[in-house]
Amino acid sequence: MRRILIRIAYDGTAYHGFAAQALEPETIEGHLAAAVKEITGEDTEIIGTSRTDAGVHARDNAAVFDTESRIPAERFALALNTKLPPDIVVTSSGEVHLDFHPRHNVSEKTYEYKIYNARIPDPLMIRYSHFCSRPLDVGKMRAAAECLVGEHDFTSFASVHMQAKSPVRTINSIEVIHGDGVCGSFSPGLITIRVKGTGFLYNMVRIIAGTLMEAGFGSITPEKMQEILDAKDRTRAGTTAPACGLTLMQIDFKLNET
């Protein structure tokens, strides 16, 4: 038996999230499992690093599956891509130890939430950012974000449907970046919230984004942000920002993948 690690990028618009669901055939995991079966003839479990929600995108998610196939590990990427829809792409593949687990071995995840802040929407931004016509103060958003860095109980920033054993998580850094654009171009209307951490609760990044937008409107001060964090009460934070603006950008592992 061999364990294959794959890196995956996808446009999540048409899918009901990463994880397979009995009543929702259109999932990233479901398509990956079907592609593996077509290539190897095996029914195998796909174990993903991050089970992104419906409509959320990924530049670099990761997953493993076990196989008896003798196909060279590095060739699985090209083989799987011939069986996958065009909005799901395996960017690389390689063999790892059988005890390698894509969630337990994570050292850091990087998410970006993009807000297109302008009077008129940009059609090239619609699928990958949240359009907001009300002016946002980036400086206020940055100040409010500072208190979230570090290890905290993030109950206020997690969905009420959270099933994690502990609400404590560590955020390594939060940047609020003004002016990134499509394909490296400069777009003065685009605001990117880049969050790096060891792990996140259900809807945590989207709730942080929604709350920082409230700070950008001036309705939440940095002091109020600290009060929201300390309250451990979901009703105190802002709304959950729409899924379209969120992209999983990078997964870093503790161990060498090969």
Side-chain angles (χ1 to χ4, degrees):
M1 185 67 68
R2 305 159 67 210
R3 177 157 290 187
I4 304 299
L5 172 67
I6 55 174
R7 298 276 189 163
I8 318 123
Y10 49 86
D11 178 334
T13 305
Y15 300 99
H16 294 273
F18 183 90
Q21 303 171 49
L23 301 178
E24 298 291 355
E26 291 300 313
T27 65
I28 306 300
E29 183 181 334
H31 278 281
L32 289 170
V36 171
K37 184 171 184 178
E38 280 197 67
I39 292 167
T40 66
E42 301 167 330
D43 288 307
T44 187
E45 180 184 9
I46 304 294
I47 305 174
T49 303
S50 186
R51 291 166 286 189
T52 52
D53 295 338
V56 174
H57 316 293
R59 174 68 64 187
D60 178 36
N61 203 344
V64 298
F65 63 89
D66 294 338
T67 180
E68 297 282 2
S69 170
R70 303 317 303 167
I71 296 173
E74 67 277 7
R75 294 190 180 179
F76 267 104
L78 290 175
L80 289 171
N81 286 334
T82 67
K83 308 298 181 183
L84 290 168
D87 50 4
I88 304 174
V89 175
V90 176
T91 58
S92 68
S93 58
E95 188 166 352
V96 291
H97 294 295
L98 285 171
D99 61 356
F100 178 91
H101 195 288
R103 290 193 289 275
H104 302 162
N105 288 98
V106 169
S107 64
E108 186 174 72
K109 296 180 182 180
T110 301
Y111 279 93
E112 288 187 357
Y113 194 89
K114 293 188 179 293
I115 304 159
Y116 190 66
N117 190 213
R119 189 171 63 87
I120 303 295
D122 183 335
L124 298 181
M125 301 286 186
I126 289 172
R127 291 171 73 96
Y128 310 110
S129 66
H130 168 51
F131 173 65
C132 175
S133 60
R134 186 176 171 186
L136 288 165
D137 186 318
V138 173
K140 291 180 179 179
M141 294 173 70
R142 288 171 177 156
E146 289 180 4
C147 71
L148 301 180
V149 177
E151 181 180 273
H152 304 285
D153 182 323
F154 281 98
T155 299
S156 293
F157 296 91
S159 167
V160 293
H161 302 296
M162 175 187 68
Q163 297 179 339
K165 292 180 181 179
S166 169
V168 176
R169 294 291 185 271
T170 300
I171 290 182
N172 297 332
S173 66
I174 300 182
E175 299 174 83
V176 183
I177 303 161
H178 187 207
D180 283 359
V182 173
C183 299
S185 63
F186 181 81
S187 175
L190 194 64
I191 297 170
T192 301
I193 301 169
R194 182 178 296 148
V195 186
K196 296 186 177 186
T198 56
F200 299 92
L201 301 170
Y202 183 50
N203 282 346
M204 180 174 159
V205 178
R206 289 167 60 191
I207 295 169
I208 288 174
T211 308
L212 289 180
M213 288 178 66
E214 291 295 325
F217 298 146
S219 55
I220 291 178
T221 63
E223 294 76 20
K224 182 70 172 178
M225 195 71 163
Q226 184 65 53
E227 291 175 13
I228 292 169
L229 180 65
D230 294 339
K232 303 179 180 63
D233 180 355
R234 172 67 188 93
T235 65
R236 299 285 296 275
T239 59
T240 304
C244 62
L246 185 61
T247 301
L248 173 59
M249 297 299 294
Q250 186 170 321
I251 299 285
D252 293 311
F253 291 112
K254 298 174 186 176
L255 302 177
N256 193 313
E257 296 173 9
T258 56

